Amino acid sequence: MFCTIRRKSEALTVAAALAVTALVAVACGSGSGSGSGSASASGAQQTELRYQGSVGQVTPPELAADLGYLGPITLKWIGNTISGPQDIQAATTGDTDFGGAFNGAIIKLIAAGAPIKSVISYYGADKDSYIGYFVPESSPISSARDLIGKKIGVNTLGAHLEAVLDAYLKKQGLSAEEIKKVVPTVVPPVNTEQSLRAGQIDVAALGGILRDKALERGGLRQLFSDYELFGTFSAGSLVLRNDFIKKNPTTTKQFVEGVAKALEWAKTTPRAEVIARFEQIIDKRGRQEDKSAIKFWKSYGVAGQGGRIQDAEFSRWIDFLRERGELKKDVALTDLFTNEFSPFRAATGS
């Protein structure tokens, strides 16, 4: 049902290999979009954007499209993903036109040579939307030191859940050698609670409906959360390829502005109305999904106005990755993200 994998090098090795493949693909012209909406030799900009969705969820770009905020841009769904690193790798190789992931995963991929850049935040943590790390009420685990030698269930390695875990361990005073002895363990999100209750893992990272339903069933105790560690913060960004941005500046601006407006709409609209809109979107797209989970939606958790990216949302993870020896080269913030296309750039002054 799940496998235990050491954290150190596997995820970065895979990311680096895929990034090299992506560079070759882009250089050969395979990354510049395909299909009826792709840019033509006449200079027309691409207006059909391929992407991956999430089962039973509505992403900010999907909401923007439904609200009519994307102008002439249409979205072409090519399948679903449950992994941020996989989603941005697909964008890097040109299998999709945009993807989203935890900012730390984006940093690693760009440092490995991937020609992508973050353009807008799309998820984060706040008082309503956060990842909690839970143990059974009867568990003797009560501190970070108690996690040495223990298995912590996460959805994927090298992404948000593992990075937050490491930040917690470091903040609580564990040494680098002690942190290595804590074992992040890959578990499918829908099986994480079951694995915890069955004793197959010692700690479960849970968010959204999976957290809420687990707490309804009782018998669990929260050890810590990403919100407790950092407060409200944006954790992940949507990326575009550099060549896409260069060839399609107008489309890029329309896309970022549309998603920014959708994020603000979700923040300022009554929750019941947002959920009703999500249910309509899920019904209309006809993917034969169970929409019961969407009733538990509370927020996207994005901190910056309209998804505007803050320096700390990347610099925090640069420091984290550098300390772990997981950056192939130094990267500057300007290599990683831009607010150039944000409609809130002028209001904030940068």
Side-chain angles (χ1 to χ4, degrees), residues 18-180:
L18 283 169
V20 171
T21 301
L23 286 169
V24 174
V26 171
C28 293
S30 63
S32 298
S34 60
S36 60
S38 62
S40 69
S42 65
Q45 294 193 28
Q46 181 175 332
T47 56
E48 181 185 85
L49 305 187
R50 298 158 299 146
Y51 78 102
Q52 296 183 111
S54 296
V55 177
Q57 300 180 37
V58 176
T59 66
E62 289 174 324
L63 176 61
D66 190 71
L67 290 169
Y69 291 164
L70 295 184
I73 296 171
T74 58
L75 302 182
K76 182 178 181 180
W77 175 73
I78 67 166
N80 290 317
T81 183
I82 61 169
S83 166
Q86 183 278 331
D87 199 31
I88 59 173
Q89 287 160 6
T92 300
T93 58
D95 294 317
T96 59
D97 295 303
F98 67 87
F102 166 59
N103 289 336
I106 293 170
I107 294 167
K108 287 203 293 186
L109 202 57
I110 291 176
I116 56 175
K117 184 163 286 190
S118 300
V119 293
I120 188 170
S121 298
Y122 79 109
Y123 86 88
D126 60 21
K127 64 180 180 62
D128 296 317
S129 299
Y130 62 90
I131 300 293
Y133 292 70
F134 296 90
V135 297
E137 283 184 345
S138 59
S139 171
I141 295 173
S142 61
S143 70
R145 191 158 298 279
D146 294 334
L147 297 180
I148 295 174
K150 299 300 192 293
K151 297 177 181 178
I152 290 71
V154 298
N155 65 329
T156 187
L157 296 183
H160 185 143
L161 302 189
E162 186 186 3
V164 169
L165 170 63
D166 271 36
Y168 168 72
L169 297 174
K170 181 182 177 184
K171 187 174 183 179
Q172 296 301 311
L174 269 66
S175 69
E177 287 303 311
E178 289 171 330
I179 290 174
K180 289 179 184 178

Side-chain angles (χ1 to χ4, degrees), residues 62-334:
E62 289 174 324
L63 176 61
D66 190 71
L67 290 169
Y69 291 164
L70 295 184
I73 296 171
T74 58
L75 302 182
K76 182 178 181 180
W77 175 73
I78 67 166
N80 290 317
T81 183
I82 61 169
S83 166
Q86 183 278 331
D87 199 31
I88 59 173
Q89 287 160 6
T92 300
T93 58
D95 294 317
T96 59
D97 295 303
F98 67 87
F102 166 59
N103 289 336
I106 293 170
I107 294 167
K108 287 203 293 186
L109 202 57
I110 291 176
I116 56 175
K117 184 163 286 190
S118 300
V119 293
I120 188 170
S121 298
Y122 79 109
Y123 86 88
D126 60 21
K127 64 180 180 62
D128 296 317
S129 299
Y130 62 90
I131 300 293
Y133 292 70
F134 296 90
V135 297
E137 283 184 345
S138 59
S139 171
I141 295 173
S142 61
S143 70
R145 191 158 298 279
D146 294 334
L147 297 180
I148 295 174
K150 299 300 192 293
K151 297 177 181 178
I152 290 71
V154 298
N155 65 329
T156 187
L157 296 183
H160 185 143
L161 302 189
E162 186 186 3
V164 169
L165 170 63
D166 271 36
Y168 168 72
L169 297 174
K170 181 182 177 184
K171 187 174 183 179
Q172 296 301 311
L174 269 66
S175 69
E177 287 303 311
E178 289 171 330
I179 290 174
K180 289 179 184 178
K181 296 176 183 177
V182 179
V183 188
T185 302
V186 175
V187 188
V190 295
N191 300 126
T192 305
E193 178 193 353
Q194 176 188 351
S195 297
L196 178 67
R197 295 186 187 277
Q200 296 171 313
I201 55 176
D202 302 290
V203 182
L206 298 168
I209 181 176
L210 298 177
R211 179 198 65 223
D212 292 346
K213 297 297 286 185
L215 292 177
E216 279 184 6
R217 285 184 275 270
L220 300 183
R221 169 170 50 89
Q222 182 173 295
L223 188 61
F224 68 97
S225 74
D226 55 359
Y227 176 65
E228 288 176 348
L229 282 174
F230 305 120
T232 299
F233 70 102
S234 294
S237 305
L238 296 177
V239 304
L240 295 169
R241 290 186 310 281
N242 295 335
D243 69 321
F244 181 96
I245 295 172
K246 183 177 180 179
K247 294 175 182 176
N248 302 280
T250 301
T251 296
T252 300
K253 188 173 188 294
Q254 290 170 330
F255 175 74
V256 173
E257 288 185 348
V259 174
K261 289 176 64 177
L263 289 170
E264 288 303 301
W265 182 88
K267 282 183 181 180
T268 58
T269 302
R271 178 170 173 263
E273 186 177 336
V274 176
I275 291 173
R277 188 79 181 222
F278 285 167
E279 290 176 330
Q280 292 172 12
I281 293 171
I282 292 172
D283 284 339
K284 286 191 294 186
R285 68 193 186 193
R287 299 179 195 168
Q288 298 182 329
E289 301 162 275
D290 179 359
K291 63 182 181 183
S292 59
I294 208 68
K295 296 182 185 297
F296 289 82
W297 181 91
K298 296 177 180 177
S299 77
Y300 284 122
V302 172
Q305 187 179 19
R308 184 181 176 277
I309 301 171
Q310 311 295 319
D311 289 358
E313 292 159 359
F314 276 89
S315 60
R316 173 188 293 133
W317 307 119
I318 291 175
D319 295 341
F320 159 74
L321 293 167
R322 185 180 292 120
E323 290 174 3
R324 284 164 54 106
E326 293 192 18
L327 286 184
K328 282 189 169 293
K329 65 176 183 179
D330 286 334
V331 288
L333 292 178
T334 52

